[in-house]
Amino acid sequence: MSYAITPNTINKYYYFAGSDCANFTSQILEAMGVPQDRSGGLNASIGWWHEVVPAGGGYTHSHSFSFIRADTFVKYFHTGYTTYSHLDFSYNLLSGDIITYDQGNDGDWDHVGYVVTRDTYAGTYPDEDGHYYTYYNYFVAQHSGNYKYWTSSYSNDWEKLSLDGVKYGRIVR
């Protein structure tokens, strides 16, 4: 999780400022040994892959859409669990899970993150506005905000998404 706060831009990966969540999560999967899928060659619409080529003293990056876009990433890897309940969502998480949410309930997944660890008990936690939420606290690393925080931190808002009726998802294990 060393690149959660400071993106890995040393030659190998491109950083998409403000919208890097799927790229960051793809890098985690690649570091875990998940092989790239180049079944469509370098067709950005097929497979899950990235490529970096030295060019003119720098580097050129190519990516499949599923490597860098949240919705296509989630649809490529598939959800194994979905719910509108944050308590149920948090209960069904394990260390190493990739999580997502559909904020508009329009069938398009809007964001992905990585669960570093999760507590084994449900607690009730306040937010900075005085609302209370009950859930299993979990530690998330993500980009498009570049952080690694417990959900109970005021800097992490996964629990607040439930106020908007968000659909939560967990990628197939």
Side-chain angles (χ1 to χ4, degrees), residues 36-100:
Q36 292 186 29
D37 171 5
R38 293 179 179 265
S39 56
L42 294 182
N43 182 337
S45 299
I46 301 173
W48 174 79
W49 56 269
H50 81 98
E51 180 174 272
V52 59
V53 178
Y59 295 87
T60 301
H61 299 268
S62 299
H63 310 86
S64 65
F65 296 138
S66 60
F67 200 92
I68 61 171
R69 295 183 182 167
D71 185 55
T72 51
F73 175 95
V74 173
K75 289 175 179 170
Y76 178 83
F77 284 103
H78 307 289
T79 53
Y81 174 78
T82 62
T83 184
Y84 291 93
S85 164
H86 185 253
L87 175 60
D88 291 346
F89 174 68
S90 65
Y91 173 78
N92 283 283
L93 297 178
L94 296 173
S95 298
D97 279 345
I98 295 177
I99 56 178
T100 187

Side-chain angles (χ1 to χ4, degrees), residues 125-133 135 150-160 163:
Y125 304 94
D127 69 11
E128 66 274 16
D129 299 322
H131 297 100
Y132 287 85
Y133 306 87
Y135 55 88
W150 285 98
T151 305
S152 59
S153 163
Y154 291 162
S155 298
N156 180 327
D157 293 329
W158 282 81
E159 78 284 9
K160 287 183 180 181
L163 296 174

Side-chain angles (χ1 to χ4, degrees), residues 15 20 34 129 139:
Y15 176 63
D20 197 56
V34 175
D129 299 322
F139 195 78

Side-chain angles (χ1 to χ4, degrees), residues 98-162:
I98 295 177
I99 56 178
T100 187
Y101 60 78
D102 175 1
Q103 193 157 19
N105 290 312
D106 56 5
D108 291 332
W109 297 99
D110 298 296
H111 185 63
V112 292
Y114 178 80
V115 176
V116 178
T117 191
R118 178 186 69 92
D119 282 346
T120 57
Y121 59 91
T124 301
Y125 304 94
D127 69 11
E128 66 274 16
D129 299 322
H131 297 100
Y132 287 85
Y133 306 87
T134 300
Y135 55 88
Y136 292 78
N137 205 8
Y138 52 101
F139 195 78
V140 179
Q142 66 179 39
H143 275 192
S144 307
N146 299 5
Y147 71 73
K148 48 185 181 179
Y149 290 120
W150 285 98
T151 305
S152 59
S153 163
Y154 291 162
S155 298
N156 180 327
D157 293 329
W158 282 81
E159 78 284 9
K160 287 183 180 181
L161 297 170
S162 62

